[in-house]
């Protein structure tokens, strides 16, 4: 939710092409309902350096259908008097329900490749993704889960809060430690705003999602 206007892990091995039946991503206990993540989103532009503290909580997850949803809370937002909470829905790139090609939200396949290649863990997949969007890949045992998160609405503020949810996030989730890296895409916002989150097992993690009523 930007203002209007490194991964360091070693690359994973290339997954084999899928056989007749593609499978969903591996069940990951760190990517399940109720799990919380905290970190920052860098919203710097040419004029100034700026980062917001961000909390995320998973509210729903259905690996079989490549779906998850949750809430995102941005703190210390300059134009807002209160933390800004949004509800988002996500697509899990499982090559069955969704591929690496977005095909909507004003994102072209070139935009997709440009953002996915920001993640070192995507490198082994690049050649096949360029061919067919990754449809022939079996990602069921890949140590990373790739997703797109699209904010749907503001939970606790109006649309005049000075922020936009017109774009979406390209997301890479590490199954080993629960870390999340993402890049925001919106043609009308500063490019490659980076989201960096770490898994936290602290209760609520200071994230008061229970005090907001989701639609």
């Amino acid at each position: 939710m930007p203002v209007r206007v490194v991964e360091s892990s070693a690359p994973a091995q290339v997954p084999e092409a899928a056989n007749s039946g593609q499978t969903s991503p591996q069940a990951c206990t760190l990517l399940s309902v109720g799990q919380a993540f905290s970190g920052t989103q860098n919203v710097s532009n040419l004029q100034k350096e700026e980062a917001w503290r961000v909390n995320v909580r998973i509210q729903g997850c259905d690996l079989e259908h490549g779906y998850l949803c949750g809430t995102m809370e941005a703190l210390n937002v300059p134009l807002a008097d209160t933390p800004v909470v949004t509800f988002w829905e996500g697509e899990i790139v499982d090559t069955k329900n969704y591929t690496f090609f977005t095909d909507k939200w004003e994102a072209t396949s070139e935009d997709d490749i440009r953002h996915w290649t920001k993640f070192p863990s995507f490198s082994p997949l690049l050649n096949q993704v360029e061919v067919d969007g990754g449809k022939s890949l079996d990602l069921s045992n890949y140590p990373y889960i790739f997703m797109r998160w699209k904010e749907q609405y503001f939970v606790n503020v109006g649309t005049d809060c000075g922020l936009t949810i017109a774009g979406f996030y390209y997301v890479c989730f590490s199954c080993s430690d629960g870390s999340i890296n993402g890049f925001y895409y919106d043609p009308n916002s500063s490019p490659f705003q980076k989201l960096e989150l770490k898994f936290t097992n602290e209760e609520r993690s200071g994230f008061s999602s229970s005090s907001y009523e989701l639609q």
Side-chain angles (χ1 to χ4, degrees):
M1 57 179 96
V3 176
R4 296 184 193 276
V5 204
V6 177
E7 267 183 279
S8 59
S9 302
Q13 294 183 339
V14 182
E16 296 180 358
N19 295 321
S20 56
Q22 292 162 318
T23 57
S24 301
Q26 59 182 312
C28 181
T29 57
L30 299 180
L31 189 66
S32 57
V33 175
Q35 300 291 23
F37 307 83
S38 295
T40 60
Q41 178 171 338
N42 189 314
V43 292
S44 300
N45 54 41
L46 296 177
Q47 283 72 42
K48 61 178 179 179
E49 292 287 327
E50 187 176 350
W52 301 335
R53 289 188 294 124
V54 175
N55 294 319
V56 165
R57 185 172 293 277
I58 305 296
Q59 303 287 354
C61 185
D62 181 356
L63 293 180
E64 181 62 30
H65 296 93
Y67 174 85
L68 77 166
C69 64
T71 45
M72 179 181 293
E73 178 186 45
L75 295 85
N76 65 289
V77 178
L79 299 179
D81 297 328
T82 180
V84 177
V85 180
T86 55
F87 174 78
W88 55 267
E89 292 184 303
E91 300 176 346
I92 299 172
V93 178
D94 54 10
T95 70
K96 178 181 67 173
N97 296 287
Y98 301 101
T99 72
F100 285 95
F101 289 159
T102 305
D103 293 327
K104 55 186 171 184
W105 302 328
E106 299 185 63
T108 65
S109 58
E110 290 78 14
D111 293 321
D112 292 329
I113 294 296
R114 190 159 47 245
H115 285 75
W116 290 128
T117 51
K118 290 285 185 180
F119 305 114
S121 54
F122 175 79
S123 297
L125 313 177
L126 175 59
N127 289 342
Q128 193 58 45
V129 171
E130 288 181 323
V131 173
D132 62 3
K135 289 181 181 179
S136 59
L137 293 172
D138 180 359
L139 301 176
S140 58
N141 293 309
Y142 204 61
Y144 297 90
I145 296 176
F146 298 95
M147 300 174 275
R148 286 177 287 264
W149 292 358
K150 179 73 174 76
E151 290 167 297
Q152 300 296 327
Y153 57 83
F154 293 101
V155 174
N156 66 324
V157 298
T159 55
D160 58 350
C161 64
L163 303 182
T164 177
I165 55 174
F168 68 96
Y169 293 87
Y170 292 87
V171 175
C172 178
F173 175 86
S174 170
C175 294
S176 62
D177 63 9
S179 62
I180 294 174
N181 285 280
F183 290 96
Y184 191 75
Y185 173 74
D186 176 6
N188 299 313
S189 298
S190 299
F192 304 117
Q193 296 181 28
K194 189 172 185 179
L195 180 70
E196 296 180 280
L197 303 172
K198 298 295 184 183
F199 170 76
T200 173
N201 57 5
E202 297 177 11
E203 185 175 359
R204 281 299 172 193
S205 183
F207 184 31
S208 55
S209 60
S210 61
S211 64
Y212 303 111
E213 181 179 353
L214 300 179
Q215 295 178 1

